[in-house]
Amino acid sequence: MYKYDQEWYVNDDGAQVRRLILHMPEKVKMADVSGKRFSVYVERKNSEGKIMYVKHTWDAPKEEWTRGYRTILASYTSDAKGNPVLEGDYVTLELDMDDAESRAIVGTLAGNKFVDCQYRITQIESIGELDGLVFDELGEIYVPQEKGYTSAVSSYEALPLKYSWYDPGKEGDLPLIIWLHGAGEGGEDPRMSYLGNNVVALSSDPIQSLMGGAAWVLVPTSPTMWMDDGSHEYGDSGKSMYADALFALIEEFVEKHAVDKKRIYIGGCSNGGFMTMRQIIDHPDYFAAGYPMCEALYDKTISDEDIERIKDVPIWFLHAMTDGIVNPEETSVPTYKRLMAAGAKNTHMTYIDDRPPLNQMVNHGVWPIGLRNEANYDFNCQPVLLDGKPVTRFEWLAAMKKHY
């Protein structure tokens, strides 16, 4: 039995196992590993070592066993990190990300969970003199997009919160992008808050370059959900037991790091969109702009005084018409309209018309579009303009700066 390493890749659906790096017992040549030389089987297990029986995606029609065979797209000799070489001590297998068993995370009623992906890679064709090798001992797990992230706990005595942050490794006061996770990415492991969906896009080169080449990314974690008003249930009170603790965390981070206090941006999806709006209402003078997605703060809980206080805060909403989880006609749409009626000059809303047969259904999941920076039109279906030029949501966000 031999070792193998996993390489995870984070995309719209969160972390997936993209490559397996096999520790070969001797050097092998590139030409000898081409074609179908291996079979890859995986069982995804819970903390008790049992194969999980869950829905593969949150909107899947039924639950299934999380086990099966993976599709190999390519195989080649490599170094220890999976970089191709003509002759090496490792063989890397690139796997199909569309495989049902590709995800390193599954959704449960208690939220998203990392799963123990136990692979068994069997050699089914000869490689030189090697034959019948089995790789079933996990060595390392690599997540290249996680580079630069660190996790910690705030020092707010009343209610300390876990969080993760990305350090761009540049000097000088830098902008800060805050991301507030959805309901599925809370809990005890702060890594879930940025690996549960494609939050690492905020630390990727395209978004970082828009921010002037470098920006901090702060990803706080709620032990339950941001909408928890103390009842530990979803509700429409508009209150959160974490509101003060979260703002204390943000202030603490800003004071500890070289943050440009005129360029602090806050956003998030669903549950995190709720808290985005909660923080903007509670602290309208603190943030340079907000970018909530499918936000869940019911408009009925927002007073006319709140609207007046936040009308000058730049906000760009993102929501889908067919959202069956958070009704936009009870949340973002009326809030957007009230802000506009109050005279807001820099409020925008991309309202995705995903009703059949116009487009493929987006429903609640608009954050992939948002994090890919594909939102670029306003509520009237016209491009959002900045200095007379059409901009995407993050181009717009990067240009926002407090003046005081």
Side-chain angles (χ1 to χ4, degrees):
M1 305 301 178
Y2 296 94
K3 283 187 178 181
Y4 70 93
D5 301 326
Q6 297 179 15
E7 181 192 272
W8 293 4
Y9 182 80
V10 187
N11 62 15
D12 292 345
D13 294 323
Q16 296 177 268
V17 181
R18 179 173 68 169
R19 299 198 300 179
L20 300 175
I21 303 171
L22 312 182
H23 297 227
M24 303 300 292
E26 60 185 57
K27 285 187 181 294
V28 294
K29 296 180 180 180
M30 179 76 77
D32 290 338
V33 299
S34 62
K36 189 175 176 61
R37 306 280 174 168
F38 298 94
S39 172
V40 178
Y41 175 76
V42 61
E43 294 180 345
R44 297 193 297 163
K45 298 183 178 182
N46 60 21
S47 59
E48 298 176 349
K50 297 179 180 179
I51 298 175
M52 302 187 76
Y53 187 68
V54 298
K55 291 185 177 182
H56 281 79
T57 59
W58 70 272
D59 58 348
K62 63 178 181 178
E63 295 180 334
E64 299 179 271
W65 292 109
T66 55
R67 63 186 178 191
Y69 287 89
R70 298 290 307 274
T71 304
I72 301 173
L73 298 179
S75 58
Y76 46 85
T77 49
S78 71
D79 62 18
K81 296 298 183 182
N83 300 304
V85 295
L86 291 177
E87 184 176 4
D89 297 311
Y90 303 86
V91 169
T92 292
L93 307 179
E94 292 189 0
L95 307 178
D96 191 342
M97 300 284 274
D98 289 333
D99 288 346
E101 305 303 341
S102 66
R103 296 191 67 194
I105 294 169
V106 297
T108 70
L109 292 176
N112 291 348
K113 302 291 183 184
F114 289 110
V115 294
D116 182 8
C117 299
Q118 296 187 4
Y119 279 83
R120 183 181 176 88
I121 304 100
T122 305
Q123 181 188 359
I124 57 176
E125 289 188 9
S126 297
I127 300 174
E129 299 296 323
L130 299 175
D131 205 359
L133 301 180
V134 175
F135 303 81
D136 60 0
E137 182 181 346
L138 177 61
E140 303 283 340
I141 295 178
Y142 304 110
V143 190
Q145 296 148 289
E146 193 176 21
K147 183 179 180 180
Y149 281 86
T150 305
S151 297
V153 181
S154 72
S155 61
Y156 184 64
E157 187 173 346
L159 184 53
L161 295 177
K162 295 180 180 179
Y163 64 97
S164 300
W165 83 92
Y166 169 75
D167 184 346
K170 299 290 180 66
E171 295 184 355
D173 289 348
L174 303 175
L176 171 63
I177 308 172
I178 301 167
W179 173 263
L180 302 176
H181 61 77
E185 293 79 51
E188 294 302 315
D189 191 337
R191 296 174 69 236
M192 180 63 73
S193 300
Y194 65 88
L195 296 179
N197 47 47
N198 195 19
V199 177
V200 293
L202 300 176
S203 56
S204 68
D205 289 343
I207 299 299
Q208 291 284 306
S209 63
L210 291 177
M211 293 288 165
W216 302 96
V217 179
L218 175 61
V219 189
T221 300
S222 162
T224 55
M225 60 267 195
W226 297 119
M227 292 178 70
D228 190 343
D229 60 5
S231 66
H232 305 315
E233 301 287 343
Y234 293 104
D236 58 0
S237 70
K239 300 183 184 302
S240 172
M241 63 181 288
Y242 300 114
D244 292 342
L246 174 60
F247 189 67
L249 185 160
I250 294 170
E251 286 191 305
E252 178 182 339
F253 183 86
V254 170
E255 292 305 316
K256 284 185 175 180
H257 300 85
V259 172
D260 182 349
K261 295 181 181 180
K262 294 183 179 181
R263 300 186 66 195
I264 300 175
Y265 311 114
I266 188 166
C269 64
S270 189
N271 211 346
F274 157 90
M275 186 57 99
T276 297
M277 294 304 297
R278 182 73 271 152
Q279 291 293 312
I280 290 174
I281 290 171
D282 292 346
H283 309 281
D285 298 325
Y286 191 81
F287 303 101
Y291 61 107
M293 309 182 195
C294 51
E295 62 97 352
L297 180 60
Y298 285 88
D299 181 71
K300 67 182 181 181
T301 68
I302 303 175
S303 69
D304 290 341
E305 290 76 16
D306 291 335
I307 293 292
E308 189 65 26
R309 289 168 62 234
I310 69 171
K311 70 178 184 180
D312 294 325
V313 180
I315 302 174
W316 188 329
F317 297 91
L318 174 63
H319 220 133
M321 291 184 181
T322 61
D323 192 327
I325 305 296
V326 177
N327 185 350
E329 298 298 330
E330 296 178 345
T331 54
S332 57
V333 170
T335 301
Y336 166 80
K337 290 180 177 179
R338 290 171 66 194
L339 286 167
M340 296 301 289
K345 303 299 183 185
N346 201 0
T347 297
H348 307 282
M349 180 169 181
T350 300
Y351 198 26
I352 299 173
D353 187 349
D354 59 337
R355 296 169 299 181
L358 298 178
N359 292 299
Q360 183 178 0
M361 296 284 282
V362 176
N363 200 294
H364 188 52
V366 296
W367 52 90
I369 294 170
L371 291 169
R372 289 197 303 262
N373 196 27
E374 294 177 352
N376 59 5
Y377 61 89
D378 218 330
F379 196 76
N380 60 3
C381 298
Q382 298 301 307
V384 174
L385 302 178
L386 186 65
D387 297 329
K389 298 180 180 180
V391 289
T392 62
R393 203 155 173 252
F394 278 100
E395 288 174 327
W396 169 87
L397 192 73
M400 298 300 104
K401 187 174 183 178
K402 288 183 61 178
H403 300 281
Y404 56 85

